[in-house]
Amino acid sequence: MSFDRSIKIAPSILSADFANFGQEIRAIEDQGCDWVHVDVMDGHFVPNLTFGPPAVAAFRPHVKTVMDVHLMIAPVDQYIDAYAKAGADYISAHLEATTHPHRTLQAIRNAGAKSGLALNPGTGIGDIEYLLDMIDMFVIMTVNPGFGGQKFIHSQIDKVEKLRAMIGDRPIHIEIDGGITPETAPLMAAAGADVLVAGSAVFNGGSVDTPDIYGKNIKAIRDAASAAQ
Ligand code: DX5
Ligand code: ZN
């Protein structure tokens, strides 16, 4: 099968009900999401705290699609095995969080996960050329990481266009994270992104008792992005 560049929607459970993750994950998957995005924060690399490996391991049996774990932690290398054992399919580490990104990406693959490299809005793509064959996915941050519900940073459109050209035919996904809505999703799909993370734009207004709202939100983002791809 050829590499799948069709649009994939990855709701971030950072915007879910924290007392009810199992049902929330089932609800978004029943409503048609493609992946489940898990934001791991350490209160040091970013000013917020979320999930350790035991929490991620507890999510795993509920995730029937793809568990996409975004590590916003520094240092990162010594925690990679624990998140892989917790069942992550993709593990993304930040370029800004490691002195040796080549080693970090190698450690992710050696642990049996797909490797992601995340870039903050202020980070350019000048240093990634010699990492390309180590990477399964780029995560381009369109907000400064740490919180859901922030405003999309438009300067990142140009970065994604340049990155997409650099990737060429290589089987590497481009994931966009932060401020994705039905208005911003098409900008990124047109620039070359295929995986769209959305927290507030999926979960706001819905709940496990009204899951059809999640479904409408997912569909609105997918339809807008697919039309622009
Ligand atoms: C930000 C996280 C995002 C965030 C996205 O640090 O990495 O995944 O939850 O949330 P929204 O879609 O609300 O911007
Ligand atoms: Zn994220």
Side-chain angles (χ1 to χ4, degrees):
M1 208 177 93
S2 64
F3 186 71
D4 178 14
R5 287 195 203 281
S6 64
I7 294 294
K8 291 163 281 294
I9 308 296
S12 165
I13 58 169
L14 187 62
S15 295
D17 173 1
F18 269 42
N20 209 4
F21 282 115
Q23 280 192 59
E24 290 277 40
I25 290 167
R26 261 191 306 284
I28 52 174
E29 291 195 337
D30 286 348
Q31 293 295 323
C33 78
D34 301 280
W35 293 9
V36 175
H37 186 81
V38 179
D39 284 310
V40 173
M41 304 185 182
D42 67 350
H44 169 74
F45 181 68
V46 291
N48 198 358
L49 282 165
T50 59
F51 314 120
V56 176
F59 303 153
R60 179 68 261 187
H62 300 280
V63 178
K64 307 288 184 233
T65 57
V66 172
M67 190 160 76
D68 169 30
V69 176
H70 176 194
L71 298 181
M72 287 162 273
I73 65 177
V76 61
D77 287 10
Q78 58 259 55
Y79 298 104
I80 287 169
D81 279 341
Y83 283 99
K85 283 205 183 76
D89 294 303
Y90 280 80
I91 296 178
S92 299
H94 271 261
L95 181 59
E96 305 85 0
T98 174
T99 313
H100 299 286
H102 193 281
R103 175 184 292 154
T104 301
L105 293 161
Q106 208 162 35
I108 295 172
R109 284 188 171 173
N110 285 345
K114 299 266 195 191
S115 60
L117 185 67
L119 305 183
N120 282 334
T123 302
I125 58 170
D127 289 336
I128 58 145
E129 189 182 346
Y130 296 99
L131 298 172
L132 282 174
D133 62 356
M134 302 296 303
I135 296 177
D136 296 302
M137 177 165 80
F138 281 99
V139 183
I140 301 302
M141 298 305 303
T142 35
V143 298
N144 284 298
F147 303 95
Q150 304 182 81
K151 216 171 154 319
F152 180 86
I153 299 173
H154 280 78
S155 61
Q156 303 305 297
I157 298 170
D158 169 73
K159 188 196 282 185
V160 172
E161 283 170 354
K162 289 184 176 137
L163 181 62
R164 182 69 194 85
M166 198 184 271
I167 287 172
D169 290 334
R170 293 178 181 87
I172 302 177
H173 297 292
I174 300 181
E175 176 175 86
I176 309 300
D177 192 1
I180 289 295
T181 64
E183 287 69 46
T184 56
L187 305 173
M188 281 311 191
D194 64 314
V195 187
L196 301 173
V197 175
S200 39
V202 167
F203 286 97
N204 281 5
S207 73
V208 294
D209 299 322
T210 54
D212 52 311
I213 295 177
Y214 295 161
K216 277 193 198 121
N217 291 343
I218 290 167
K219 186 174 183 316
I221 299 167
R222 187 195 306 286
D223 287 353
S226 298
Q229 206 179 26

